[in-house]
Amino acid sequence: MKKINKSLSKKGVASLYVVIFATILFGVITLSFIRIILSESQQTGNDDLSQSAYDAAMAGVEDAKLAVNKWYKTGMSDPYLFSDDCNRGIRSMLYTGGTEEVKIQEGSSSDSSNGTEQAYTCVILKNVVGDYRSTLTPDTQTKVVPLAIKGADSTSTTSLSDVRWIEVNWFSEVNGNDFNTSYEFNAKSKLFPKNSSPIPPALSVTLLKVGDSIDIDYFNSSEREEYSSMLFVPSGKSDRISPLEITSDKVGQAGDSKTPNTPYDLQCRDGEEFACKVKLGTNGLPSNAMLIISMPYGNIATDFQVVLRDINGNPIDFVNVQISVDSTGRANQLVRRVETRLDPADLFFPYPEYEVELTGGEENSFLKNFWITANCWTDQGPCPNNGSV
């Protein structure tokens, strides 16, 4: 009868346990790697789909630009451009009508079965907006905002004479308005902080109340109220806290030679949509009134907003001043939505952004060019002085 060595049996059982635990450990590690790989692969796929859906939405914005330009060139007569129905405005100007989604062709083939199916499903254009929004940058330091409102005609209950406040807000959350309030202003260079925190720039606001016609004498007389220019300087040491209200009589005196046109300093508040806010009082506006908003000392970008309000503080809608584009794109079943604003290009009355260019340099040169055309026209026909200087 053969004897079994018990010590060897115990060693075999221990080895078996080691193998089992090692197998389980390697299995867990392998499954973990597989899970990470699958998760990263899924995330990458979702990112690709998200970017494709965003690109599809931006394609809708680009088609909206083409539709708006065609709308102007055809005399602004199409009644469907600003329809509430998805894609009807774009299709009425560029395609065959209807409200179906617009598929985007991928590559040179029209067969979308070989790639991600992209389309913009809904693009809605509106020429009536509750505010004007834009951005000032070091390259574009001036914006002209026409003050045209919804329903300002003989049949409407709202007119330009109902405008009592012009609200100007700037330096949004996107610009980084979680700033440090300890900052100074140096008129010879720029605004700068005492540390690396972002700060809001100074803003120049000019109100032009020109009416149906422009008389150059308006700008040569300091006794008229058609031209009011104010400079607002954010300051951490100011007692004036945003929003700063300036009554209509003070606005009318801005630029008057009898009243020193001293810059307004104000404290801007962080943590809100716009850090800096001012309200300009007015006793109503004539037709063709406009704001000229510029950033004279800034070397950073700043978003700004203009809101018109009545005597009760209710906002008054703009009309044909900006066009809002709400575009939704999809890639397969994933969707992205983009909202943006377009400044309309009125071919008959373009607003100049500036008329004087300061080139600087050693000679501190001053350059002013005029372009005069003999082929002048308006929406009513040729100019009376067509062909003459």
Side-chain angles (χ1 to χ4, degrees):
M1 187 173 180
K2 187 176 182 180
K3 293 184 178 180
I4 299 176
N5 193 332
K6 294 184 178 180
S7 62
L8 293 177
S9 177
K10 292 180 179 179
K11 291 181 180 179
V13 173
S15 300
L16 180 61
Y17 286 147
V18 170
V19 171
I20 293 174
F21 281 117
T23 303
I24 294 174
L25 178 61
F26 285 123
V28 170
I29 294 175
T30 302
L31 290 176
S32 299
F33 275 114
I34 292 175
R35 181 179 179 182
I36 292 174
I37 292 172
L38 292 177
S39 177
E40 291 294 330
S41 176
Q42 183 179 8
Q43 183 63 41
T44 301
N46 290 337
D47 290 343
D48 290 340
L49 285 177
S50 178
Q51 183 62 45
S52 297
Y54 175 79
D55 293 339
M58 291 304 298
V61 173
E62 293 301 318
D63 276 0
K65 294 179 181 178
L66 295 175
V68 170
N69 286 335
K70 187 175 180 181
W71 183 70
Y72 275 106
K73 290 180 179 179
T74 56
M76 301 179 288
S77 58
D78 192 293
Y80 300 115
L81 180 63
F82 304 113
S83 171
D84 291 332
D85 297 329
C86 291
N87 298 332
R88 185 173 187 182
I90 288 181
R91 282 186 168 273
S92 66
M93 297 301 300
L94 303 180
Y95 304 107
T96 58
T99 59
E100 299 82 5
E101 68 176 15
V102 178
K103 292 188 176 182
I104 300 172
Q105 179 175 322
E106 300 180 17
S108 59
S109 174
S110 60
D111 183 11
S112 62
S113 61
N114 296 325
T116 302
E117 187 179 57
Q118 290 179 277
Y120 57 85
T121 60
C122 185
V123 177
I124 298 178
L125 293 88
K126 294 291 184 182
N127 64 332
V128 177
V129 295
D131 57 10
Y132 180 97
R133 290 174 179 257
S134 190
T135 302
L136 298 175
T137 66
D139 295 328
T140 305
Q141 292 185 314
T142 302
K143 287 286 186 178
V144 179
V145 184
L147 302 180
I149 70 172
K150 178 182 178 182
D153 52 45
S154 58
T155 61
S156 174
T157 58
T158 303
S159 66
L160 286 166
S161 61
D162 294 325
V163 178
R164 288 295 180 269
W165 292 99
I166 303 173
E167 187 176 302
V168 181
N169 310 315
W170 73 98
F171 207 63
S172 71
E173 294 174 327
V174 177
N175 308 132
N177 67 6
D178 54 342
F179 56 88
N180 191 302
T181 56
S182 298
Y183 50 84
E184 300 175 359
F185 177 72
N186 184 349
K188 294 183 179 180
S189 58
K190 60 185 180 181
L191 281 169
F192 63 93
K194 291 184 176 179
N195 51 32
S196 59
S197 300
I199 58 174
L203 204 70
S204 175
V205 179
T206 299
L207 174 61
L208 294 180
K209 298 185 289 185
V210 297
D212 294 330
S213 61
I214 299 177
D215 189 342
I216 301 300
D217 290 339
Y218 288 174
F219 309 107
N220 295 330
S221 173
S222 61
E223 307 302 325
R224 307 189 68 101
E225 296 185 358
E226 282 79 7
Y227 178 88
S228 303
S229 184
M230 292 149 283
L231 178 64
F232 300 99
V233 180
S235 173
K237 300 178 181 179
S238 175
D239 295 331
R240 302 188 182 101
I241 299 177
S242 173
L244 171 63
E245 293 188 3
I246 303 176
T247 57
S248 58
D249 58 329
K250 296 295 183 182
V251 173
Q253 292 174 2
D256 191 333
S257 61
K258 297 180 181 180
T259 304
N261 194 2
T262 305
Y264 290 90
D265 60 327
L266 74 155
Q267 286 190 29
C268 298
R269 296 177 173 177
D270 58 353
E272 300 183 11
E273 182 183 4
F274 289 93
C276 306
K277 301 180 180 182
V278 298
K279 296 176 66 177
L280 310 178
T282 177
N283 294 320
L285 297 173
S287 58
N288 295 328
M290 67 187 79
L291 279 182
I292 301 176
I293 298 179
S294 63
M295 185 175 55
Y297 304 108
N299 63 341
I300 61 174
T302 178
D303 298 329
F304 73 91
Q305 175 196 47
V306 178
V307 181
L308 302 180
R309 298 189 183 276
D310 61 18
I311 194 172
N312 297 317
N314 300 317
I316 299 176
D317 291 338
F318 288 89
V319 62
N320 290 332
V321 174
Q322 271 191 331
I323 296 174
S324 68
V325 180
D326 186 347
S327 177
T328 302
R330 73 171 179 87
N332 291 346
Q333 300 303 315
L334 193 146
V335 297
R336 289 282 298 274
R337 184 178 179 184
V338 173
E339 294 183 79
T340 187
R341 297 286 183 92
L342 304 178
D343 287 332
D346 192 337
L347 302 178
F348 300 110
F349 194 80
Y351 287 88
E353 291 189 356
Y354 60 87
E355 60 178 295
V356 175
E357 178 183 354
L358 296 176
T359 58
E362 295 181 358
E363 299 180 356
N364 195 23
S365 57
F366 180 85
L367 175 66
K368 186 171 183 179
N369 292 339
F370 293 89
W371 287 267
I372 301 176
T373 177
N375 299 317
C376 174
W377 73 92
T378 68
D379 52 351
Q380 283 81 30
C383 297
N385 63 337
N386 187 24
S388 61
V389 179

